[in-house]
Short mmCIF file of all heavy atoms in Angstrom, two decimals:
data_model
loop_
_atom_site.label_atom_id
_atom_site.label_comp_id
_atom_site.label_asym_id
_atom_site.label_seq_id
_atom_site.Cartn_x
_atom_site.Cartn_y
_atom_site.Cartn_z
N LEU M 271 89.93 172.71 89.93
CA LEU M 271 89.79 173.43 91.24
C LEU M 271 91.14 173.62 91.85
O LEU M 271 91.48 174.64 92.40
CB LEU M 271 88.86 172.60 92.19
CG LEU M 271 88.55 173.20 93.50
CD1 LEU M 271 87.93 174.64 93.34
CD2 LEU M 271 87.68 172.27 94.34
N ALA M 272 91.94 172.52 91.83
CA ALA M 272 93.33 172.61 92.44
C ALA M 272 94.06 173.63 91.71
O ALA M 272 94.79 174.47 92.35
CB ALA M 272 93.95 171.23 92.32
N ARG M 273 93.97 173.69 90.42
CA ARG M 273 94.70 174.70 89.62
C ARG M 273 94.31 176.12 90.02
O ARG M 273 95.17 177.00 90.28
CB ARG M 273 94.54 174.47 88.10
CG ARG M 273 95.53 175.26 87.31
CD ARG M 273 94.93 175.68 85.94
NE ARG M 273 94.31 174.52 85.29
CZ ARG M 273 95.02 173.81 84.37
NH1 ARG M 273 96.26 173.99 84.07
NH2 ARG M 273 94.38 172.73 83.78
N ARG M 274 93.02 176.32 90.19
CA ARG M 274 92.51 177.65 90.48
C ARG M 274 92.97 178.07 91.87
O ARG M 274 93.33 179.22 92.13
CB ARG M 274 90.94 177.64 90.44
CG ARG M 274 90.38 179.05 90.55
CD ARG M 274 88.95 179.06 90.08
NE ARG M 274 88.01 178.17 90.77
CZ ARG M 274 87.57 178.47 92.01
NH1 ARG M 274 87.88 179.59 92.54
NH2 ARG M 274 86.69 177.70 92.58
N LEU M 275 93.02 177.12 92.82
CA LEU M 275 93.34 177.46 94.23
C LEU M 275 94.77 177.63 94.43
O LEU M 275 95.22 178.43 95.30
CB LEU M 275 92.78 176.43 95.19
CG LEU M 275 91.16 176.35 95.23
CD1 LEU M 275 90.68 175.24 96.14
CD2 LEU M 275 90.62 177.72 95.65
N THR M 276 95.61 176.80 93.67
CA THR M 276 97.11 176.86 93.99
C THR M 276 97.88 177.36 92.86
O THR M 276 99.02 177.61 93.01
CB THR M 276 97.57 175.42 94.39
OG1 THR M 276 97.40 174.66 93.17
CG2 THR M 276 96.82 174.89 95.52
N GLY M 277 97.22 177.42 91.70
CA GLY M 277 98.01 177.83 90.52
C GLY M 277 98.86 176.65 90.01
O GLY M 277 99.70 176.97 89.16
N SER M 278 98.72 175.52 90.57
CA SER M 278 99.56 174.38 90.10
C SER M 278 98.70 173.21 89.63
O SER M 278 97.60 172.99 90.03
CB SER M 278 100.41 173.87 91.26
OG SER M 278 100.82 172.55 91.05
N GLU M 279 99.33 172.37 88.66
CA GLU M 279 98.59 171.25 88.17
C GLU M 279 98.39 170.18 89.20
O GLU M 279 97.56 169.32 89.14
CB GLU M 279 99.39 170.63 86.99
CG GLU M 279 99.41 171.49 85.68
CD GLU M 279 98.08 171.46 84.98
OE1 GLU M 279 97.36 170.37 85.08
OE2 GLU M 279 97.73 172.35 84.20
N ARG M 280 99.38 170.21 90.17
CA ARG M 280 99.40 169.01 91.15
C ARG M 280 98.26 169.05 92.10
O ARG M 280 97.81 170.11 92.56
CB ARG M 280 100.72 169.10 91.87
CG ARG M 280 101.93 168.64 91.06
CD ARG M 280 103.23 169.09 91.66
NE ARG M 280 103.38 168.43 92.95
CZ ARG M 280 104.41 168.68 93.72
NH1 ARG M 280 105.39 169.58 93.35
NH2 ARG M 280 104.58 168.06 94.89
N PRO M 281 97.74 167.90 92.45
CA PRO M 281 96.67 167.89 93.52
C PRO M 281 97.27 168.24 94.82
O PRO M 281 98.51 168.21 95.06
CB PRO M 281 96.23 166.43 93.45
CG PRO M 281 97.38 165.67 92.88
CD PRO M 281 98.14 166.60 91.99
N PHE M 282 96.41 168.63 95.76
CA PHE M 282 96.85 168.87 97.11
C PHE M 282 95.88 168.32 98.10
O PHE M 282 94.78 167.95 97.80
CB PHE M 282 97.07 170.40 97.36
CG PHE M 282 95.71 171.16 97.35
CD1 PHE M 282 95.05 171.29 98.57
CD2 PHE M 282 95.25 171.71 96.18
CE1 PHE M 282 93.84 171.99 98.61
CE2 PHE M 282 93.99 172.44 96.24
CZ PHE M 282 93.33 172.56 97.43
N SER M 283 96.43 168.12 99.30
CA SER M 283 95.51 167.60 100.36
C SER M 283 95.40 168.68 101.49
O SER M 283 96.35 169.47 101.73
CB SER M 283 96.06 166.35 101.00
OG SER M 283 96.79 166.50 102.12
N VAL M 284 94.22 168.59 102.20
CA VAL M 284 94.06 169.43 103.35
C VAL M 284 93.23 168.65 104.28
O VAL M 284 92.28 167.98 103.95
CB VAL M 284 93.43 170.79 103.02
CG1 VAL M 284 92.11 170.64 102.20
CG2 VAL M 284 93.16 171.64 104.24
N ARG M 285 93.72 168.50 105.58
CA ARG M 285 93.06 167.63 106.55
C ARG M 285 91.72 168.26 106.94
O ARG M 285 91.59 169.43 107.05
CB ARG M 285 93.92 167.45 107.77
CG ARG M 285 95.30 166.81 107.51
CD ARG M 285 95.10 165.27 107.25
NE ARG M 285 96.38 164.66 106.91
CZ ARG M 285 96.44 163.37 106.45
NH1 ARG M 285 95.37 162.75 106.25
NH2 ARG M 285 97.65 162.86 106.20
N PRO M 286 90.71 167.42 107.20
CA PRO M 286 89.37 167.88 107.51
C PRO M 286 89.36 168.81 108.76
O PRO M 286 88.53 169.73 108.82
CB PRO M 286 88.61 166.67 107.84
CG PRO M 286 89.30 165.56 107.06
CD PRO M 286 90.76 165.95 107.05
N GLU M 287 90.30 168.54 109.70
CA GLU M 287 90.28 169.32 110.87
C GLU M 287 90.86 170.81 110.66
O GLU M 287 90.78 171.68 111.53
CB GLU M 287 91.05 168.66 112.07
CG GLU M 287 92.51 168.42 111.82
CD GLU M 287 92.77 167.08 111.14
OE1 GLU M 287 91.95 166.53 110.50
OE2 GLU M 287 93.88 166.54 111.32
N HIS M 288 91.50 170.99 109.50
CA HIS M 288 91.97 172.27 109.15
C HIS M 288 91.01 173.13 108.36
O HIS M 288 91.27 174.22 107.95
CB HIS M 288 93.32 172.17 108.36
CG HIS M 288 94.43 171.57 109.26
ND1 HIS M 288 95.44 170.82 108.71
CD2 HIS M 288 94.60 171.65 110.54
CE1 HIS M 288 96.23 170.43 109.65
NE2 HIS M 288 95.76 170.95 110.80
N VAL M 289 89.90 172.52 108.03
CA VAL M 289 88.88 173.22 107.22
C VAL M 289 87.76 173.75 108.14
O VAL M 289 87.37 173.11 109.10
CB VAL M 289 88.26 172.23 106.14
CG1 VAL M 289 87.31 172.99 105.21
CG2 VAL M 289 89.35 171.59 105.38
N ARG M 290 87.37 174.98 107.88
CA ARG M 290 86.32 175.57 108.66
C ARG M 290 85.23 176.20 107.84
O ARG M 290 85.56 176.55 106.65
CB ARG M 290 86.95 176.78 109.58
CG ARG M 290 87.85 176.32 110.66
CD ARG M 290 86.99 175.57 111.84
NE ARG M 290 87.87 174.97 112.81
CZ ARG M 290 88.27 173.76 112.74
NH1 ARG M 290 88.01 172.93 111.71
NH2 ARG M 290 89.01 173.22 113.70
N PHE M 291 84.10 176.42 108.40
CA PHE M 291 83.06 177.17 107.65
C PHE M 291 83.38 178.69 107.65
O PHE M 291 83.91 179.19 108.73
CB PHE M 291 81.69 176.94 108.19
CG PHE M 291 81.19 175.50 107.95
CD1 PHE M 291 81.07 174.67 108.99
CD2 PHE M 291 80.91 175.13 106.65
CE1 PHE M 291 80.66 173.31 108.71
CE2 PHE M 291 80.49 173.85 106.39
CZ PHE M 291 80.38 172.96 107.45
N ALA M 292 83.13 179.36 106.56
CA ALA M 292 83.39 180.76 106.56
C ALA M 292 82.17 181.50 106.07
O ALA M 292 81.40 180.95 105.29
CB ALA M 292 84.67 181.09 105.70
N THR M 293 82.06 182.78 106.38
CA THR M 293 80.91 183.44 105.89
C THR M 293 81.17 184.14 104.58
O THR M 293 80.32 184.20 103.69
CB THR M 293 80.47 184.55 106.91
OG1 THR M 293 81.65 185.20 107.36
CG2 THR M 293 79.74 183.92 108.12
N SER M 294 82.42 184.61 104.41
CA SER M 294 82.72 185.27 103.16
C SER M 294 84.19 184.97 102.84
O SER M 294 84.96 184.45 103.66
CB SER M 294 82.52 186.77 103.23
OG SER M 294 83.40 187.21 104.24
N ALA M 295 84.65 185.24 101.54
CA ALA M 295 86.03 185.03 101.26
C ALA M 295 86.87 185.93 102.05
O ALA M 295 86.72 187.17 102.05
CB ALA M 295 86.17 185.28 99.76
N GLU M 296 87.72 185.33 102.93
CA GLU M 296 88.64 186.13 103.77
C GLU M 296 89.97 186.29 103.08
O GLU M 296 90.39 185.33 102.38
CB GLU M 296 88.84 185.43 105.13
CG GLU M 296 87.51 185.24 105.87
CD GLU M 296 87.58 184.25 106.98
OE1 GLU M 296 88.68 184.16 107.67
OE2 GLU M 296 86.67 183.53 107.19
N GLY M 297 90.56 187.38 103.22
CA GLY M 297 91.74 187.76 102.58
C GLY M 297 92.78 186.72 102.41
O GLY M 297 93.03 186.16 101.28
N ASN M 298 93.40 186.25 103.55
CA ASN M 298 94.58 185.34 103.31
C ASN M 298 94.15 183.83 103.37
O ASN M 298 95.06 183.05 103.35
CB ASN M 298 95.56 185.64 104.52
CG ASN M 298 94.90 185.46 105.89
OD1 ASN M 298 93.69 185.45 105.98
ND2 ASN M 298 95.78 185.29 106.93
N ARG M 299 92.91 183.57 103.54
CA ARG M 299 92.54 182.15 103.54
C ARG M 299 92.00 181.67 102.22
O ARG M 299 91.47 182.43 101.41
CB ARG M 299 91.47 181.89 104.61
CG ARG M 299 92.11 181.83 106.04
CD ARG M 299 91.04 181.95 107.05
NE ARG M 299 90.31 180.71 107.25
CZ ARG M 299 90.77 179.70 108.02
NH1 ARG M 299 91.91 179.80 108.69
NH2 ARG M 299 90.00 178.62 108.20
N VAL M 300 92.21 180.37 101.91
CA VAL M 300 91.76 179.82 100.64
C VAL M 300 90.31 179.34 100.94
O VAL M 300 90.01 178.69 101.99
CB VAL M 300 92.54 178.62 100.26
CG1 VAL M 300 92.05 177.98 98.99
CG2 VAL M 300 94.01 178.90 100.19
N SER M 301 89.36 179.70 100.09
CA SER M 301 88.00 179.34 100.29
C SER M 301 87.31 178.88 99.06
O SER M 301 87.66 179.26 97.94
CB SER M 301 87.24 180.43 101.10
OG SER M 301 86.96 181.49 100.14
N VAL M 302 86.26 178.09 99.24
CA VAL M 302 85.51 177.60 98.13
C VAL M 302 84.05 177.39 98.50
O VAL M 302 83.80 177.09 99.66
CB VAL M 302 86.22 176.32 97.52
CG1 VAL M 302 86.22 175.21 98.58
CG2 VAL M 302 85.45 175.81 96.26
N GLU M 303 83.19 177.60 97.58
CA GLU M 303 81.76 177.46 97.91
C GLU M 303 81.20 176.11 97.50
O GLU M 303 81.63 175.51 96.59
CB GLU M 303 80.95 178.58 97.15
CG GLU M 303 79.81 179.08 98.05
CD GLU M 303 79.19 180.30 97.32
OE1 GLU M 303 78.84 180.18 96.10
OE2 GLU M 303 78.97 181.30 97.96
N GLY M 304 80.20 175.67 98.26
CA GLY M 304 79.64 174.34 97.85
C GLY M 304 78.29 174.10 98.61
O GLY M 304 77.82 175.01 99.33
N GLN M 305 77.80 172.90 98.43
CA GLN M 305 76.52 172.54 99.08
C GLN M 305 76.74 171.50 100.17
O GLN M 305 77.44 170.54 99.90
CB GLN M 305 75.54 172.00 98.08
CG GLN M 305 74.18 172.00 98.59
CD GLN M 305 73.21 171.27 97.65
OE1 GLN M 305 73.65 170.47 96.78
NE2 GLN M 305 71.90 171.52 97.75
N LEU M 306 76.23 171.72 101.39
CA LEU M 306 76.42 170.75 102.41
C LEU M 306 75.48 169.56 102.15
O LEU M 306 74.23 169.68 102.13
CB LEU M 306 75.99 171.37 103.71
CG LEU M 306 76.22 170.55 105.04
CD1 LEU M 306 77.66 170.08 105.17
CD2 LEU M 306 75.76 171.27 106.24
N VAL M 307 76.03 168.40 101.94
CA VAL M 307 75.25 167.16 101.57
C VAL M 307 75.12 166.18 102.67
O VAL M 307 74.17 165.38 102.63
CB VAL M 307 75.88 166.47 100.35
CG1 VAL M 307 75.68 167.31 99.07
CG2 VAL M 307 77.32 166.08 100.56
N GLU M 308 75.97 166.20 103.65
CA GLU M 308 75.83 165.13 104.73
C GLU M 308 76.39 165.69 106.05
O GLU M 308 77.43 166.42 106.01
CB GLU M 308 76.58 163.91 104.26
CG GLU M 308 76.29 162.67 105.09
CD GLU M 308 74.91 162.20 104.99
OE1 GLU M 308 74.47 161.71 103.95
OE2 GLU M 308 74.18 162.47 105.98
N VAL M 309 75.84 165.34 107.09
CA VAL M 309 76.30 165.67 108.45
C VAL M 309 76.32 164.41 109.21
O VAL M 309 75.34 163.66 109.31
CB VAL M 309 75.42 166.70 109.17
CG1 VAL M 309 76.00 167.04 110.52
CG2 VAL M 309 75.26 167.97 108.27
N GLN M 310 77.50 164.08 109.81
CA GLN M 310 77.61 162.85 110.60
C GLN M 310 78.15 163.23 112.01
O GLN M 310 79.11 163.99 112.14
CB GLN M 310 78.60 161.89 109.99
CG GLN M 310 78.10 161.17 108.73
CD GLN M 310 79.16 160.36 108.15
OE1 GLN M 310 80.34 160.41 108.44
NE2 GLN M 310 78.80 159.50 107.18
N TYR M 311 77.50 162.63 113.02
CA TYR M 311 77.85 162.90 114.38
C TYR M 311 78.84 161.79 114.85
O TYR M 311 78.55 160.61 114.68
CB TYR M 311 76.65 162.87 115.30
CG TYR M 311 76.91 163.11 116.74
CD1 TYR M 311 77.30 164.35 117.16
CD2 TYR M 311 76.83 162.09 117.62
CE1 TYR M 311 77.57 164.63 118.55
CE2 TYR M 311 77.10 162.29 118.98
CZ TYR M 311 77.44 163.56 119.46
OH TYR M 311 77.78 163.75 120.73
N HIS M 312 80.06 162.16 115.33
CA HIS M 312 80.98 161.11 115.74
C HIS M 312 81.42 161.27 117.21
O HIS M 312 82.55 160.91 117.58
CB HIS M 312 82.30 161.30 114.89
CG HIS M 312 82.07 160.79 113.48
ND1 HIS M 312 82.39 159.47 113.14
CD2 HIS M 312 81.64 161.37 112.32
CE1 HIS M 312 82.18 159.26 111.91
NE2 HIS M 312 81.70 160.37 111.35
N GLY M 313 80.54 161.75 118.04
CA GLY M 313 80.89 161.89 119.46
C GLY M 313 81.69 163.13 119.65
O GLY M 313 81.14 164.26 119.75
N ALA M 314 83.07 163.00 119.71
CA ALA M 314 83.91 164.17 120.00
C ALA M 314 83.80 165.19 118.86
O ALA M 314 83.92 166.38 119.05
CB ALA M 314 85.27 163.78 120.24
N THR M 315 83.67 164.70 117.66
CA THR M 315 83.65 165.55 116.45
C THR M 315 82.36 165.36 115.66
O THR M 315 81.68 164.37 115.86
CB THR M 315 84.81 165.34 115.55
OG1 THR M 315 84.77 163.89 115.12
CG2 THR M 315 86.15 165.56 116.25
N SER M 316 82.13 166.29 114.73
CA SER M 316 81.11 166.04 113.69
C SER M 316 81.75 166.24 112.35
O SER M 316 82.68 166.99 112.22
CB SER M 316 79.94 167.00 113.89
OG SER M 316 79.18 166.58 114.98
N ARG M 317 81.17 165.49 111.35
CA ARG M 317 81.75 165.65 109.96
C ARG M 317 80.78 166.22 109.08
O ARG M 317 79.60 165.75 109.11
CB ARG M 317 82.15 164.26 109.44
CG ARG M 317 83.32 163.76 110.17
CD ARG M 317 83.93 162.55 109.52
NE ARG M 317 85.23 162.40 110.06
CZ ARG M 317 86.24 161.71 109.43
NH1 ARG M 317 85.99 161.10 108.29
NH2 ARG M 317 87.33 161.65 110.00
N TYR M 318 81.15 167.13 108.30
CA TYR M 318 80.36 167.77 107.32
C TYR M 318 80.92 167.46 105.97
O TYR M 318 82.05 167.76 105.71
CB TYR M 318 80.23 169.30 107.59
CG TYR M 318 79.73 169.62 108.96
CD1 TYR M 318 80.57 169.51 110.06
CD2 TYR M 318 78.38 170.03 109.19
CE1 TYR M 318 80.09 169.76 111.37
CE2 TYR M 318 77.91 170.27 110.43
CZ TYR M 318 78.75 170.15 111.52
OH TYR M 318 78.35 170.38 112.79
N GLU M 319 80.03 167.02 105.11
CA GLU M 319 80.48 166.78 103.69
C GLU M 319 79.91 167.87 102.74
O GLU M 319 78.76 168.01 102.69
CB GLU M 319 80.13 165.41 103.23
CG GLU M 319 80.94 164.39 104.01
CD GLU M 319 80.78 162.97 103.54
OE1 GLU M 319 79.92 162.73 102.57
OE2 GLU M 319 81.44 162.07 104.00
N VAL M 320 80.81 168.51 102.09
CA VAL M 320 80.41 169.65 101.22
C VAL M 320 80.86 169.31 99.77
O VAL M 320 81.90 169.00 99.52
CB VAL M 320 81.16 170.93 101.69
CG1 VAL M 320 80.69 172.11 100.79
CG2 VAL M 320 80.81 171.29 103.13
N ARG M 321 79.75 169.35 98.92
CA ARG M 321 80.08 169.09 97.52
C ARG M 321 80.37 170.44 96.82
O ARG M 321 79.64 171.40 96.86
CB ARG M 321 78.79 168.51 96.86
CG ARG M 321 79.10 167.96 95.40
CD ARG M 321 77.87 167.44 94.78
NE ARG M 321 77.21 166.36 95.51
CZ ARG M 321 77.68 165.14 95.52
NH1 ARG M 321 78.62 164.74 94.76
NH2 ARG M 321 77.07 164.22 96.22
N VAL M 322 81.59 170.48 96.26
CA VAL M 322 82.04 171.72 95.66
C VAL M 322 82.13 171.47 94.14
O VAL M 322 81.82 170.40 93.63
CB VAL M 322 83.42 172.12 96.23
CG1 VAL M 322 83.32 172.50 97.66
CG2 VAL M 322 84.50 171.15 95.98
N GLU M 323 82.73 172.41 93.42
CA GLU M 323 82.75 172.35 91.97
C GLU M 323 83.59 171.14 91.50
O GLU M 323 84.44 170.64 92.21
CB GLU M 323 83.36 173.65 91.40
CG GLU M 323 84.75 173.86 91.77
CD GLU M 323 85.39 175.06 91.03
OE1 GLU M 323 85.18 176.12 91.57
OE2 GLU M 323 85.98 174.88 89.93
N GLY M 324 83.23 170.62 90.30
CA GLY M 324 83.97 169.48 89.78
C GLY M 324 83.45 168.19 90.46
O GLY M 324 84.11 167.14 90.48
N ASN M 325 82.31 168.27 91.21
CA ASN M 325 81.77 167.18 91.93
C ASN M 325 82.66 166.55 93.00
O ASN M 325 82.56 165.40 93.35
CB ASN M 325 81.36 166.03 90.88
CG ASN M 325 80.02 165.37 91.28
OD1 ASN M 325 79.30 165.95 92.09
ND2 ASN M 325 79.73 164.25 90.70
N GLN M 326 83.59 167.31 93.52
CA GLN M 326 84.43 166.88 94.58
C GLN M 326 83.79 167.14 95.88
O GLN M 326 83.05 168.12 96.03
CB GLN M 326 85.81 167.64 94.51
CG GLN M 326 86.49 167.40 93.14
CD GLN M 326 87.99 167.91 93.21
OE1 GLN M 326 88.74 167.45 94.01
NE2 GLN M 326 88.27 168.78 92.34
N VAL M 327 84.01 166.26 96.87
CA VAL M 327 83.46 166.40 98.18
C VAL M 327 84.49 166.71 99.17
O VAL M 327 85.54 166.00 99.24
CB VAL M 327 82.69 165.10 98.60
CG1 VAL M 327 82.15 165.22 99.98
CG2 VAL M 327 81.51 164.89 97.64
N LEU M 328 84.40 167.80 99.85
CA LEU M 328 85.31 168.14 100.95
C LEU M 328 84.72 167.84 102.28
O LEU M 328 83.52 168.13 102.54
CB LEU M 328 85.70 169.58 100.90
CG LEU M 328 86.32 170.07 99.54
CD1 LEU M 328 86.72 171.58 99.68
CD2 LEU M 328 87.59 169.22 99.29
N THR M 329 85.57 167.32 103.14
CA THR M 329 85.04 166.97 104.50
C THR M 329 85.57 168.04 105.49
O THR M 329 86.78 168.41 105.53
CB THR M 329 85.48 165.59 104.92
OG1 THR M 329 85.14 164.66 103.94
CG2 THR M 329 84.93 165.20 106.22
N VAL M 330 84.69 168.44 106.34
CA VAL M 330 85.01 169.39 107.44
C VAL M 330 84.87 168.69 108.75
O VAL M 330 83.82 168.04 108.94
CB VAL M 330 84.14 170.65 107.36
CG1 VAL M 330 84.49 171.67 108.43
CG2 VAL M 330 84.08 171.29 106.04
N SER M 331 85.84 168.68 109.57
CA SER M 331 85.75 168.08 110.90
C SER M 331 85.73 169.09 111.95
O SER M 331 86.70 169.88 112.08
CB SER M 331 86.84 167.00 111.08
OG SER M 331 86.80 166.47 112.35
#
Side-chain angles (χ1 to χ4, degrees):
Chain M
L271 182 60
R273 193 211 308 268
R274 186 162 63 76
L275 293 176
T276 64
S278 156
E279 293 283 335
R280 286 165 62 184
F282 69 88
S283 96
V284 54
R285 297 287 176 192
E287 64 268 26
H288 294 147
V289 185
R290 291 288 174 270
F291 290 111
T293 44
S294 60
E296 300 163 35
N298 59 342
R299 283 167 75 86
V300 182
S301 73
V302 60
E303 214 174 51
Q305 193 188 22
L306 184 60
V307 290
E308 193 62 74
V309 181
Q310 289 175 345
Y311 179 73
H312 285 270
T315 58
S316 286
R317 290 190 163 201
Y318 300 80
E319 292 187 354
V320 179
R321 191 183 301 282
V322 296
E323 65 173 85
N325 219 15
Q326 301 191 57
V327 174
L328 298 183
T329 304
V330 182
S331 177

